[in-house]
Amino acid sequence: ETGVTQSPTHLIKTRGQQVTLRCSSQSGHNTVSWYQQALGQGPQFIFQYYREEENGRGNFPPRFSGLQFPNYSSELNVNALELDDSALYLCASSSEILNTEAFFGQGTRLTVV
Amino acid sequence: GDSVTQMEGPVTLSEEAFLTINCTYTATGYPSLFWYVQYPGEGLQLLLKATKADDKGSNKGFEATYRKETTSFHLEKGSVQVSDSAVYFCALSPNTGNQFYFGTGTSLTVIP
């Protein structure tokens, strides 16, 4: 049990719709990162938030956006869903910004039909 | 850019066999290196880590040594158990931030 919780656990959306995924970071952690894990692949970095500011972004289009709140919880928003967005979305929290262990949630399984 | 190349699977071993999963990396600077494990239907759990060259990470009988000269971080275990069946991911975190670059994962199945 890592203390990082994600909701919902499973979600089915239709192509073109919008989705919001949520993550509560572990107590005391101020950094949250989001990853997309396609079936049979390793997680791919989407972006990171540190103290409510975006701090780094991977190779994902602008329709992937996020927020971090004052309590350090976070949201991932995806607009104009495409079939290829179907994946496990993982949230990871850590206590500092550099070179430390990240604690992962169990993920949200998004299916786009 | 930074990247991780991981031995492809799946790997099937008999209980008590020796395990090696190869991992090499490309990075500028001095990244930290990690092995994460993912059990079916679950998120990632940290298995072990090493933050500088020649460090050895170890946990639950698994070991990996940070080899800068060969840019490798191979995972080993002397005697695997059925409960070790999972997908193993090698990852690096650069010294410029705490994002992770993961390998594609190696699926391990241990049979009794």
Side-chain angles (χ1 to χ4, degrees):
Chain A
E1 188 70 31
T2 64
V4 179
T5 58
Q6 292 186 242
S7 62
T9 54
H10 295 84
L11 198 55
I12 300 175
K13 288 287 190 179
T14 302
R15 189 172 48 184
Q17 285 188 314
Q18 178 267 342
V19 69
T20 297
L21 310 182
R22 295 179 175 83
C23 171
S24 293
S25 59
Q26 185 161 317
S27 178
H29 286 186
N30 55 20
T31 304
V32 173
S33 303
W34 287 92
Y35 292 82
Q36 180 195 66
Q37 186 180 13
L39 197 62
Q41 300 296 314
Q44 299 292 313
F45 175 70
I46 302 175
F47 44 58
Q48 181 183 82
Y49 279 83
Y50 172 65
R51 297 192 177 191
E52 302 179 59
E53 298 285 332
E54 186 177 293
N55 179 65
R57 187 179 183 91
N59 189 27
F60 280 81
R63 59 190 186 83
F64 285 78
S65 63
L67 283 174
Q68 188 179 30
F69 300 99
N71 66 355
Y72 302 133
S73 65
S74 178
E75 287 183 354
L76 164 66
N77 299 289
V78 186
N79 293 322
L81 284 166
E82 301 176 0
L83 297 180
D84 285 349
D85 296 333
S86 296
L88 181 68
Y89 288 85
L90 296 166
C91 167
S93 77
S94 54
S95 60
E96 295 294 336
I97 200 167
L98 292 178
N99 277 349
T100 58
E101 176 182 349
F103 294 84
F104 284 81
Q106 293 195 326
T108 294
R109 173 72 63 186
L110 172 65
T111 302
V112 182
V113 297
Chain B
D2 295 352
S3 66
V4 172
T5 301
Q6 191 173 338
M7 167 180 159
E8 293 194 12
V11 174
T12 303
L13 294 174
S14 297
E15 205 165 22
E16 299 184 1
F18 184 84
L19 169 71
T20 299
I21 301 177
N22 291 336
C23 171
T24 57
Y25 68 91
T26 301
T28 54
Y30 303 94
S32 292
L33 300 175
F34 302 79
W35 278 98
Y36 277 85
V37 59
Q38 187 173 39
Y39 297 100
E42 298 187 11
L44 299 173
Q45 299 176 25
L46 177 68
L47 182 59
L48 52 83
K49 67 177 181 181
T51 57
K52 62 183 186 298
D54 299 325
D55 268 3
K56 177 186 283 188
S58 62
N59 186 27
K60 299 181 181 179
F62 291 90
E63 293 183 339
T65 300
Y66 189 145
R67 301 284 188 201
K68 191 172 187 299
E69 64 275 15
T70 55
T71 61
S72 66
F73 193 56
H74 305 321
L75 181 69
E76 296 182 337
K77 186 175 185 182
S79 177
V80 294
Q81 305 300 312
V82 172
S83 58
D84 294 327
S85 298
V87 181
Y88 293 81
F89 291 94
C90 183
L92 73 80
S93 179
N95 60 4
T96 56
N98 201 26
Q99 62 200 56
F100 285 75
Y101 297 90
F102 286 88
T104 54
T106 300
S107 175
L108 170 67
T109 301
V110 180
I111 56 178

